[in-house]
Amino acid sequence: ITLAEMNDLTGDIGNKVARAKRSAQRYLEKMLHTVKESKEPYEIAIVAYALTLVNSVDGEVAFNFLDSKMKEVAGTRYWSKDIVLPTLARVENNRPYVMPRLPHKYDSVNVETTAYALLVHVKRQAVIQREIVQWLNTQRSTANGWASTQDSIIAMQALMEYAIQSRVRDVMDVTVTVESPSTVGFSKQLQIDEDNYSELQTVEIPNAYGAVIVKAQGSGLALVQLSVQYNVEWKHLMTPPPIPAFNLDVAIYFWGRNNSHITYQSCQNWNLLSESRMSGMAVLEVDLPTGYIIEQHELHGYVRSNRVRNLREGRFEEGKITFYFEYLDITPTCVKFTVQRWFPVANMTRYLPVKVYDYYAPERYNETMMDMYNLFVMSVCQVCGSYQCPYCPVFSHSITMQWNIFLTYSCFLLSFYFLLKEVP
């Protein structure tokens, strides 16, 4: 695919690229029968796109075989090793309410495979395109993309190619109305037309609860996505991974005056041996209590020390530390670090998450909750200095002086003496 897209090279290097492209094309054509026997739709999709891109005579064969692997659900089309259930919708008062989408065990590869298939259909001007676009858009995980970086790039490329060919932009004129019944009188209108169809428009819903009603009028295609963030404080309320892929064991130790230091030790390893012997690039995210930090140069030194196997980078962001591993295997890989309290914060949330996942397949993850009970029960008077706590009884009260008759009489005589001395 890369060689096919390098068309602007001239001279000797251009000739070498052309020869390499022809060799790669012949190899794919020769191995097409092997790909047809594969159970992986991803292999079929990427080979079909490569052969279509170079106008191979076997491109039609690959395209037909790709279509034979297509799946259909709720009027949409996609490619996957397993059946992907549609997003659930609950009907109340003859009105459908779309429910949140839970992660699937092959989210990232499904999106990338379907995106390559859409590129093939767009390139060949096939009839089935809109149904594929609809499925891709239902798989979005954030406002900026899909499961991972790699599948998001391919999916975005496929959708742009579809938008250019379908010319839907020429008739774009949509009015979207967003209403939130939980907020009395809340109603926002968004206008999407040829002047702003490429701009992201957002609406923040205050006191969000229950359902959000979206109405659309006009012509064209518009994508509306609802993003919700909330905290949970019990492990059984967390969304479980679709398939167990990592083991995660985290321990914390509080020490220092009033728990001013916290030492974390996190051990993680890959356990999905039925899929592979090791993970891809793995990421460990550790949420920190408010007011605690670790300096970035400490993380750089920790990584450069090579004390942790496969650790390649550590980053500190506000309220979070992220570690990047080249891969994780069956042998536990442990990191140990200490954070310090820099700001006087107390009586904070009791539970904080720790998560490990595969960077290129985020649906492969494990997550746990850390109990910060020691910080939860502390008051602010226990963590701040005397100059910061004028209303704390621990620091602001004065010493009680006891009355002494001898001291009082001595002070009286001394005052009387100086008074007589001043009289001429």
Side-chain angles (χ1 to χ4, degrees):
I1 295 173
T2 302
L3 293 172
E5 294 176 345
M6 298 174 64
N7 299 319
D8 55 348
L9 298 177
T10 59
D12 184 57
I13 190 172
N15 295 331
K16 291 181 179 180
V17 169
R19 288 195 298 270
K21 181 170 66 174
R22 288 193 295 269
S23 298
Q25 177 180 341
R26 287 194 297 268
Y27 175 79
L28 290 178
E29 292 171 347
K30 180 180 178 181
M31 300 301 295
L32 184 58
H33 68 282
T34 304
V35 175
K36 290 169 62 176
E37 298 174 358
S38 173
K39 297 181 180 180
E40 296 286 343
Y42 177 81
E43 297 177 1
I44 302 168
I46 195 171
V47 170
Y49 177 58
L51 294 178
T52 301
L53 204 60
V54 296
N55 298 317
S56 170
V57 293
D58 289 332
E60 184 72 24
V61 177
F63 172 72
N64 292 333
F65 189 68
L66 177 66
D67 268 12
S68 69
K69 297 294 183 179
M70 181 170 53
K71 293 180 173 61
E72 181 179 2
V73 61
T76 62
R77 308 293 179 92
Y78 68 98
W79 282 258
S80 172
K81 289 197 297 185
D82 288 349
I83 295 177
V84 180
L85 298 177
T87 304
L88 299 178
R90 186 178 69 245
V91 179
E92 294 183 3
N93 299 325
N94 295 324
R95 178 176 290 176
Y97 290 89
V98 181
M99 306 301 292
R101 186 184 72 86
L102 297 177
H104 186 268
K105 61 181 179 179
Y106 298 118
D107 266 343
S108 56
V109 70
N110 288 348
V111 169
E112 189 173 351
T113 302
T114 304
Y116 274 122
L118 177 59
L119 286 170
V120 174
H121 280 71
V122 171
K123 190 75 174 177
R124 305 186 71 87
Q125 298 184 357
V127 176
I128 300 176
Q129 294 185 30
R130 186 167 183 173
E131 295 85 349
I132 305 174
V133 171
Q134 290 176 344
W135 187 88
L136 280 175
N137 282 325
T138 61
Q139 302 303 304
R140 288 177 179 262
S141 58
T142 67
N144 301 318
W146 285 258
S148 69
T149 304
Q150 185 169 320
D151 66 289
S152 296
I153 292 174
I154 305 302
M156 195 65 70
Q157 178 187 354
L159 292 178
M160 287 190 295
E161 294 289 344
Y162 168 77
I164 293 172
Q165 179 175 291
S166 64
R167 304 188 65 84
V168 70
R169 298 173 297 174
D170 298 340
V171 295
M172 180 65 70
D173 187 12
V174 180
T175 301
V176 178
T177 304
V178 181
E179 299 176 354
S180 177
S182 62
T183 304
V184 179
F186 180 86
S187 179
K188 296 288 185 180
Q189 277 195 348
L190 304 175
Q191 183 65 34
I192 306 173
D193 51 37
E194 60 181 5
D195 296 327
N196 66 350
Y197 62 80
S198 61
E199 298 177 5
L200 175 65
Q201 301 186 52
T202 60
V203 174
E204 184 173 347
I205 302 175
N207 304 320
Y209 178 80
V212 175
I213 300 174
V214 179
K215 303 175 183 178
Q217 293 179 324
S219 60
L221 293 176
L223 175 66
V224 179
Q225 181 168 341
L226 177 65
S227 297
V228 181
Q229 292 182 343
Y230 58 93
N231 294 327
V232 296
E233 294 192 346
W234 300 102
K235 193 170 183 178
H236 69 275
L237 297 177
M238 299 170 62
T239 302
I243 181 171
F246 291 94
N247 292 326
L248 180 61
D249 183 17
V250 186
I252 55 175
Y253 309 94
F254 296 91
W255 56 284
R257 185 178 185 274
N258 295 326
N259 303 316
S260 60
H261 293 66
I262 307 176
T263 297
Y264 286 79
Q265 181 169 334
S266 175
C267 296
Q268 45 280 326
N269 67 283
W270 174 258
N271 64 8
L272 191 57
L273 300 181
S274 60
E275 183 172 283
S276 64
R277 296 174 56 189
M278 62 185 67
S279 71
M281 185 173 74
V283 182
L284 175 67
E285 293 181 349
V286 182
D287 279 29
L288 302 180
T290 304
Y292 286 80
I293 75 166
I294 184 172
E295 296 193 57
Q296 184 62 48
H297 71 85
E298 294 184 37
L299 293 176
H300 288 328
Y302 187 55
V303 174
R304 287 195 297 266
S305 68
N306 294 323
R307 285 182 288 171
V308 181
R309 187 170 57 97
N310 298 325
L311 180 61
R312 295 295 177 261
E313 188 173 356
R315 297 178 185 173
F316 170 74
E317 302 171 356
E318 185 176 357
K320 179 184 292 186
I321 295 179
T322 307
F323 292 101
Y324 295 86
F325 302 89
E326 185 176 349
Y327 65 86
L328 293 176
D329 53 22
I330 193 173
T331 304
T333 301
C334 300
V335 295
K336 188 175 182 180
F337 59 93
T338 299
V339 296
Q340 304 179 36
R341 183 194 296 121
W342 277 40
F343 304 100
V345 181
N347 193 22
M348 58 189 69
T349 182
R350 180 172 175 178
Y351 299 97
L352 291 174
V354 178
K355 183 177 182 179
V356 59
Y357 61 92
D358 190 309
Y359 183 83
Y360 293 106
E363 65 273 13
R364 302 283 186 269
Y365 73 91
N366 194 0
E367 190 173 16
T368 188
M369 303 287 284
M370 300 307 302
D371 191 346
M372 299 289 177
Y373 181 78
N374 292 30
L375 305 181
F376 174 72
V377 297
M378 290 181 64
S379 68
V380 70
C381 291
Q382 295 175 279
V383 299
C384 62
S386 59
Y387 69 95
Q388 297 170 314
C389 305
Y391 300 106
C392 291
V394 178
F395 296 107
S396 62
H397 74 280
S398 60
I399 300 175
T400 303
M401 297 184 64
Q402 296 183 352
W403 180 69
N404 189 307
I405 188 171
F406 176 76
L407 182 62
T408 305
Y409 184 69
S410 299
C411 291
F412 174 76
L413 290 178
L414 189 61
S415 300
F416 185 72
Y417 169 76
F418 282 108
L419 182 62
L420 291 177
K421 192 175 181 180
E422 292 178 359
V423 177

